[in-house]
Amino acid sequence: LKKQLGDLRACAPVLTRYDAVAFTETWLNDTVACAELELGFEEHTWFRRDRGSLGGGVACAVRSSLLPLRLPDPADTEMLLVRLQSVSVTLAVCYRPPADDAAIDRITNALSAVQPPDCKCVIVGDFNLPELRWSPAADNADGATSDMQQVTGRATKFIDTCDLLGLRQWVCQPTRGDNTLDLVLTRRMSASVVVRDGLLESDHRETIATLSTPVRRQPVVSRRTAFNYKRADFDGLRRSLSLIPWGLLDNLGVDEAVETFYTLLESAIADHVPTVILRRRLPPWFDGAVRAALRLKEAAFRRLRRNPSPATRTEFEDKRRVFKSVSTTKYYDHV
């Protein structure tokens, strides 16, 4: 990519049709800014992991609407892990240098550590295993079957790990010369793969994988209700309040009397004042944890209003601080 940034921008109208575009052997370094990759990819978020020396490196551009979140980079690998939060899928982009047989162990260990163990995964990249030949399985839904032309420790380790993790491989055509080096593996997902000549100059062919997964439903927007006093039956409310035996409060402690008073009052209001659904929508990061913190803050505020004291003020300030902390954290997680 380092020498083909102009071609990358020229191909952007085609490449941006895809939800994710992955590259191996990018040869990128700190002389290439991320902004140079982002030109033409306004709807995508770029992730890259440069080797730091000559050659190697991986990168990917993921559609931002999939809410991509970069996971910690596995140590001593040329590998990216990106969580696609809107579809609950983990995307891995891998490159194994031809001379580094031990990299297979590090890559397979990193894939084994992806949590939860049964989550949906898509693993793409150049694994440089020319000794493996792939042919379509009898049932197309099962992916490709492997035939080891030469028994090697790295190939055996790779196949064993795929079986252990429930991964299926879908590329059956050669991607470089007569060898199938670039693979597409999935877990709990099916794929349809096409291999063709690439848009960018490379000695590898381009691999296009089509996968289907249900989009996670967006958080349900909650609507809050309020009393509609314009339509209240105030005569009925006064009559109900006049019939309440308020003398029952006389023998109660202060706190219990206050709670009982408001319980009786709110019950009478609910009987004679209709409610209306507010149209104000809560933002999508307002999940259960934020709503719980908000309820605690509002309850503390009501107690402060009923009984202003240093204790109730301190409690309210603490609950307000917790609410701000939780809501800010959820907001940045969402972004």
Side-chain angles (χ1 to χ4, degrees):
L1 285 182
K2 184 178 179 182
K3 295 183 178 180
Q4 300 189 70
L5 294 176
D7 294 335
L8 179 66
R9 288 192 285 272
C11 296
V14 177
L15 295 176
T16 51
R17 298 174 187 172
Y18 300 100
D19 291 316
V21 188
F23 302 89
T24 59
E25 292 189 86
T26 58
W27 288 52
L28 296 176
N29 55 34
D30 55 9
T31 64
V32 179
C34 288
E36 296 183 74
L37 303 173
E38 294 166 355
L39 291 174
F41 288 82
E42 288 78 10
E43 296 182 359
H44 287 66
T45 301
W46 275 88
F47 303 92
R48 55 190 276 191
R49 187 176 184 184
D50 305 342
R51 175 179 287 182
S53 59
L54 186 64
V58 293
C60 65
V62 181
R63 194 175 302 279
S64 302
S65 61
L66 294 176
L67 304 180
L69 174 67
R70 184 170 183 170
L71 301 179
D73 294 333
D76 302 319
T77 63
E78 294 188 53
M79 185 175 177
L80 271 175
L81 290 174
V82 180
R83 179 71 174 169
L84 312 182
Q85 299 178 92
S86 68
V87 290
S88 299
V89 172
T90 298
L91 170 66
V93 184
C94 309
Y95 173 65
R96 187 191 73 81
D100 189 358
D101 288 351
I104 284 289
D105 290 326
R106 296 192 294 271
I107 290 174
T108 54
N109 290 338
L111 295 177
S112 301
V114 173
Q115 297 295 327
D118 61 344
C119 72
K120 294 180 180 178
C121 293
V122 180
I123 300 124
V124 300
D126 180 1
F127 290 86
N128 278 309
L129 295 171
E131 61 267 38
L132 291 178
R133 293 287 187 267
W134 300 89
S135 57
D139 185 348
N140 290 333
D142 292 333
T145 59
S146 62
D147 179 20
M148 202 175 303
Q149 302 295 305
Q150 178 184 354
V151 178
T152 61
R154 63 189 187 187
T156 302
K157 174 72 173 179
F158 180 77
I159 295 299
D160 289 346
T161 302
C162 289
D163 292 340
L164 181 64
L165 298 180
L167 298 174
R168 291 179 290 175
Q169 205 284 120
W170 299 91
V171 182
C172 300
Q173 299 170 262
T175 61
R176 185 176 185 270
D178 295 329
N179 300 317
T180 305
L181 304 182
D182 305 275
L183 308 179
V184 175
L185 303 110
T186 65
R187 179 167 62 196
R188 296 183 57 203
M189 301 176 70
S190 297
S192 174
V193 173
V194 174
V195 178
R196 71 179 189 187
D197 291 335
L199 297 174
L200 300 174
E201 181 181 350
S202 174
D203 58 352
H204 289 246
R205 303 181 74 196
E206 191 174 79
T207 303
I208 301 174
T210 303
L211 307 98
S212 297
T213 184
V215 177
R216 187 177 66 189
R217 184 173 297 177
Q218 292 296 322
V220 177
V221 177
S222 57
R223 292 170 177 261
R224 304 186 65 185
T225 59
F227 289 116
N228 184 2
Y229 288 102
K230 291 183 179 179
R231 300 176 58 189
D233 178 11
F234 284 108
D235 290 336
L237 177 58
R238 293 189 187 96
R239 188 164 50 253
S240 293
L241 293 176
S242 67
L243 295 175
I244 293 176
W246 295 108
L248 61 84
L249 303 177
D250 293 344
N251 298 321
L252 300 178
V254 175
D255 292 338
E256 187 178 358
V258 170
E259 291 296 331
T260 303
F261 171 79
Y262 278 105
T263 299
L264 295 172
L265 176 62
E266 291 167 358
S267 297
I269 291 174
D271 289 339
H272 299 282
V273 182
T275 57
V276 62
I277 296 177
L278 300 179
R279 294 187 178 275
R280 180 174 65 86
R281 294 172 178 263
L282 295 175
W285 61 85
F286 241 75
D287 62 5
V290 181
R291 288 195 294 271
L294 177 61
R295 285 194 297 270
L296 293 175
K297 186 198 78 167
E298 291 177 339
F301 177 72
R302 288 195 295 270
R303 285 191 288 272
L304 172 63
R305 188 174 57 182
R306 297 170 189 170
N307 181 27
S309 68
T312 55
R313 178 165 297 279
T314 299
E315 180 191 14
F316 169 67
E317 291 175 351
D318 289 342
K319 300 299 183 186
R320 182 174 59 183
R321 190 180 305 109
V322 170
F323 167 71
K324 288 182 177 180
S325 175
V326 173
S327 59
T328 300
T329 300
K330 294 294 184 180
Y331 170 74
Y332 282 111
D333 288 345
H334 172 75
V335 172

